[in-house]
Amino acid sequence: MNKDKNRNFSQDKKYSLYDKLTGKSELEAIREKKFEPYSFESNNFQLFTLIISLISFVILSIFLLIQDDRIITHLESLRADGLETSPPSRFFVDDLLAFADREEIKCENESEILLLRSDCPLIVDIHSNYAKVKNNSFVITGLLIFSSLVSIFIFCSFIHRGTRNLPTLKFDNQSLTPDQSVFWLLIPIVNFWRSFQVFRQLYLGSKPKHSNNLLLEIFTSSIVYYILILLWVLILVIFTIFNRRTIDFFWSRQNDILYNLIDYYNILFLSDIVLIVIGILTIINISVINTFQNLRHKEVGIIVVDPKKRLKK
């Protein structure tokens, strides 16, 4: 009787109101559940939501590609009209006057700009047309960042569950735990090699023994899935080097010259293509892995895994 009271008291203390508000109780529950016996867990819902998120990511990347192409076309037309320096994208008087001075256009002070005298209307038109074309990209980029964050979160959940399922599929050569797989994927540069290990482990541990159609036979071929893994790793490397942040850092500093600004947007155009490719390759890889795991689960049946026994081994 006293033991039961002490147990109840310890549980009440463990899951107090403070613990619930701070999330400590949830962390403890997750930690305890981590070592509970488990069987195969379906990844179908994560796959569905991730594909929806990645499709939106790809569509936004296509919109950004079109937007950057519009900016390049607009800048090329300005260069064809004889401009040599970059037009101002913000309606700051100092920027407009500096641009007029660089292009030797007669527009000498703030009052002429506000009253649209001399050649100032030309400066204002160049600015407004450029800003109109460019401003749409900020909205698309913002939505793309949000979509990528959602996709990364669901992708990590998919990888974690997929790796956790491997012991239930009779795969005994697991080198990375679910936590390690997610952790290493999120570390830049290190994830070049680790992502290869994570995907190879998922393919090898999930591959069904029997193929019942031609498409499945193609994807179960080691050559095919190694190509898919290597392509994903390669595009990840390219994305790490040529993303909008690194491009802004290395190429946006010398954009006062119109020719350099056009080169800058050409590089952004290529980075948009990289985003589209990485989205499509991710959809292919996760779809194949999830199909493999579902088929392999049907082959082996229900297998209960005890994490505590695995730790002792």
Side-chain angles (χ1 to χ4, degrees), residues 62-99:
I62 292 172
F63 283 155
L64 194 59
L65 181 80
I66 296 170
Q67 177 64 19
D68 287 338
D69 183 63
R70 287 182 58 201
I71 295 174
I72 293 170
T73 302
H74 181 75
L75 294 175
E76 290 283 5
S77 68
L78 291 178
R79 189 170 66 171
D81 291 338
L83 295 183
E84 296 181 356
T85 60
S86 304
S89 58
R90 303 172 299 177
F91 194 83
F92 290 166
V93 173
D94 291 341
D95 292 348
L96 297 176
L97 292 176
F99 175 69

Side-chain angles (χ1 to χ4, degrees), residues 27-283:
L27 288 174
E28 289 292 334
I30 292 171
R31 192 176 292 112
E32 290 174 3
K33 187 179 179 181
K34 183 178 178 181
F35 296 102
E36 291 179 358
Y38 69 94
S39 57
F40 180 83
E41 298 172 326
S42 174
N43 234 341
N44 291 337
F45 179 74
Q46 283 81 356
L47 176 70
F48 174 76
T49 54
L50 183 53
I51 287 177
I52 295 297
S53 181
L54 286 171
I55 287 174
S56 66
F57 175 83
V58 171
I59 291 173
L60 287 169
S61 299
I62 292 172
F63 283 155
L64 194 59
L65 181 80
I66 296 170
Q67 177 64 19
D68 287 338
D69 183 63
R70 287 182 58 201
I71 295 174
I72 293 170
T73 302
H74 181 75
L75 294 175
E76 290 283 5
S77 68
L78 291 178
R79 189 170 66 171
D81 291 338
L83 295 183
E84 296 181 356
T85 60
S86 304
S89 58
R90 303 172 299 177
F91 194 83
F92 290 166
V93 173
D94 291 341
D95 292 348
L96 297 176
L97 292 176
F99 175 69
D101 182 63
R102 291 197 303 267
E103 294 295 330
E104 298 181 353
I105 298 174
K106 189 178 180 182
C107 184
E108 299 177 352
N109 53 59
E110 182 178 353
S111 62
E112 289 186 348
I113 292 176
L114 296 177
L115 297 174
L116 298 178
R117 291 178 178 174
S118 301
D119 291 333
C120 290
L122 176 60
I123 299 295
V124 174
D125 286 342
I126 292 173
H127 153 73
S128 61
N129 291 333
Y130 178 52
K132 190 183 300 181
V133 173
K134 184 178 180 181
N135 286 344
N136 291 333
S137 61
F138 291 111
V139 177
I140 300 173
T141 302
L143 292 173
L144 187 62
I145 291 172
F146 175 78
S147 176
S148 64
L149 292 175
V150 172
S151 298
I152 290 171
F153 178 80
I154 305 173
F155 178 73
C156 289
S157 175
F158 177 90
I159 294 296
H160 189 278
R161 176 166 290 189
T163 307
R164 179 178 162 87
N165 279 336
L166 293 179
T168 71
L169 303 176
K170 289 187 175 180
F171 182 64
D172 299 324
N173 298 321
Q174 186 172 351
S175 58
L176 295 172
T177 66
D179 293 342
Q180 289 173 338
S181 298
V182 173
F183 175 77
W184 289 119
L185 282 176
L186 297 176
I187 305 300
I189 300 177
V190 178
N191 60 5
F192 296 161
W193 167 244
R194 288 298 188 178
S195 60
F196 175 82
Q197 289 182 314
V198 170
F199 275 105
R200 183 183 63 178
Q201 178 175 267
L202 284 169
Y203 271 107
L204 290 174
S206 308
K207 187 173 68 170
K209 300 298 182 184
H210 308 288
S211 306
N212 53 15
N213 60 64
L214 179 61
L215 186 61
L216 189 60
E217 287 182 5
I218 293 173
F219 281 105
T220 51
S221 169
S222 58
I223 296 175
V224 173
Y225 64 71
Y226 268 112
I227 289 174
L228 286 175
I229 297 171
L230 290 172
L231 285 176
W232 197 89
V233 174
L234 176 62
I235 205 70
L236 177 65
V237 174
I238 297 173
F239 169 74
T240 304
I241 299 172
F242 292 103
N243 59 74
R244 298 186 84 86
R245 190 166 185 174
T246 57
I247 292 170
D248 284 339
F249 183 79
F250 289 107
W251 281 280
S252 66
R253 299 185 178 184
Q254 303 296 327
N255 287 342
D256 289 339
I257 307 301
L258 188 57
Y259 181 83
N260 291 339
L261 185 61
I262 293 172
D263 284 346
Y264 167 75
Y265 275 104
N266 279 322
I267 298 172
L268 286 181
F269 184 86
L270 295 176
S271 74
D272 298 335
I273 296 175
V274 171
L275 292 177
I276 295 169
V277 174
I278 198 171
I280 293 172
L281 281 175
T282 304
I283 290 173

